[in-house]
Amino acid sequence: MSKEKVILTGDRPTGRLHIGHYVGSLRRRVELQQAADYKQMFVFIADAQALTDNIDNPEKVRQNVIEVALDYLACGLDPEKVTIFIQSQIPELCELSFYFMDLVSVSRLQRNPTVKTEIQMRGFEGSIPVGFFTYPISQAADITAFRATTVPVGEDQKPMLEQANEIVRRFNYIYGDTLVEPQILLPDNAACLRLPGTDGKAKMSKSLGNCIYLAETADEVQKKVMSMYTDPLHVHVQDPGHLEGNTVFTYLDAFCRPEHFERYLPDYPNLDELKAHYTRGGLGDMKVKRFLNNILQEELEPIRQRRKMFEKDIPAVYDMLRKGCENAREVAAQTLADVRRAMKIDYFSDAQLIAEQAARFAAEQ
Ligand code: ATP
Ligand code: MG
């Protein structure tokens, strides 16, 4: 670890943030911020990316920008330590994507497993917007424009980081050493790599409507926990239960800490014992769900409280975003100046080029 680290991540403003974002990336960002072991940290709201599959619903994206910003602040991201900005306000990102498009083949994009799944999920098959299809390229631009070294994200982003690295290597090979290869920082807890939805589906995702949102009221959270997918074979309390694909236990893996047992379930010393009892039979879903609910409420309550506080001064949040955009734009502009120089499209800032051309044409006269 060195102070040379540049950390960057983003979220699509397609809805409020949920506990999948939290365990997959947001919690890590706050920890990184606390550790203060970085040169710069950027967190951005990917509105341009959100438009790639919401082109006819700009109002949804517009409304959710502030929701995501509030979720950031509620989780503890501090604009004094982290530059928070909105993607569309940095035109340099668009320019960089345009150059990167020449470095990636269509077949390479078609092989991206995350894009494949997302195309299916959205029913795009025959009519994929080009912007959506190419979003791994624009994501590479988002990362490299800020010379990010470290990208804390969920597992679904692995193919994006691989794509970004390929682009960087290809760019540097052709144009000389200019861009930085980013490294993915995955959650170290397996349950957090890709938190399933409350319906048991593979991924909690705004687009699937199976989320517990960070800003939800205590009652709403409780209702969702109590109706969560568990083990369809565990019908009676005495039946042996299964842990595999059991969402309640996956969430416990993601959120439970030893002290939670002392506070909420002192009959059990730890999660392993709870799991063993469930597997043996004789432990009802309701008891486990109530335990999970207590844990989630404890984690979410301070987030809800902080959000309420920031909601009281919305103009200040926009002001914070505007300043973040200005700072981010300066950094991206520097990278773009290097990129243009490397790509030999910096005509007017290259006095030597003009002098050489003048001399060449003079000699031909
Ligand atoms: P959408 O459905 O609009 O794509 P999303 O819920 O997938 O939304 P994103 O904005 O695409 O959310 O993802 C933002 C970040 O949160 C990424 O780093 C992603 O890896 C992480 N993330 C999203 N969902 C999960 C999840 N269920 N588990 C772990 N990490 C997640
Ligand atoms: Mg997503």
Side-chain angles (χ1 to χ4, degrees), residues 207-327:
S207 316
L208 293 174
N210 56 7
C211 308
I212 294 178
Y213 293 96
L214 293 172
E216 243 156 355
T217 64
D219 280 355
E220 283 164 335
V221 172
Q222 182 174 15
K223 225 183 286 164
K224 288 189 178 176
V225 171
M226 289 307 169
S227 56
M228 253 168 81
Y229 180 86
T230 55
D231 169 15
L233 301 173
H234 189 237
V235 185
H236 305 292
V237 174
Q238 63 273 21
D239 293 342
H242 299 84
L243 302 173
E244 181 105 3
N246 189 323
T247 323
V248 177
F249 279 96
T250 310
Y251 285 20
L252 285 177
D253 281 331
F255 285 96
C256 182
R257 293 190 301 271
E259 67 264 25
H260 290 137
F261 282 94
E262 286 159 39
R263 278 206 278 282
Y264 307 117
L265 208 58
D267 303 351
Y268 297 87
N270 55 41
L271 192 53
D272 287 341
E273 294 289 323
L274 188 76
K275 284 179 177 172
H277 191 186
Y278 190 80
T279 317
R280 267 199 318 274
L283 173 59
D285 281 350
M286 279 304 150
K287 190 165 178 178
V288 190
K289 283 180 172 176
R290 272 197 297 272
F291 180 49
L292 174 63
N293 180 56
N294 282 328
I295 295 173
L296 286 182
Q297 300 293 357
E298 182 183 313
E299 188 94 17
L300 297 179
E301 184 53 25
I303 298 177
R304 282 194 285 257
Q305 292 304 330
R306 270 199 301 270
R307 193 185 217 268
K308 286 215 183 75
M309 198 182 79
F310 287 109
E311 282 172 357
K312 286 192 185 124
D313 195 354
I314 294 296
V317 180
Y318 278 104
D319 209 39
M320 174 280 287
L321 287 171
R322 190 180 47 74
K323 284 188 196 131
C325 290
E326 283 165 14
N327 291 345

Side-chain angles (χ1 to χ4, degrees), residues 149-169:
T149 59
T150 313
V151 184
V153 283
E155 196 182 32
D156 61 320
Q157 294 303 308
K158 228 169 148 181
M160 306 305 158
L161 268 289
E162 280 160 15
Q163 178 73 81
N165 278 323
E166 278 174 37
I167 291 176
V168 170
R169 282 196 288 270

Side-chain angles (χ1 to χ4, degrees), residues 10-12 14 18 20-21 23-25 29 118 121-122 152-157 192-195 203-207:
D11 305 274
R12 294 151 44 90
T14 48
H18 54 65
H21 299 121
V23 296
S25 167
R29 296 179 216 173
E118 291 182 337
M121 226 167 84
R122 288 163 176 77
V153 283
E155 196 182 32
D156 61 320
Q157 294 303 308
C192 301
L193 287 171
R194 189 182 298 245
L195 198 76
K203 182 175 174 272
M204 178 173 286
S205 166
K206 286 168 280 186
S207 316

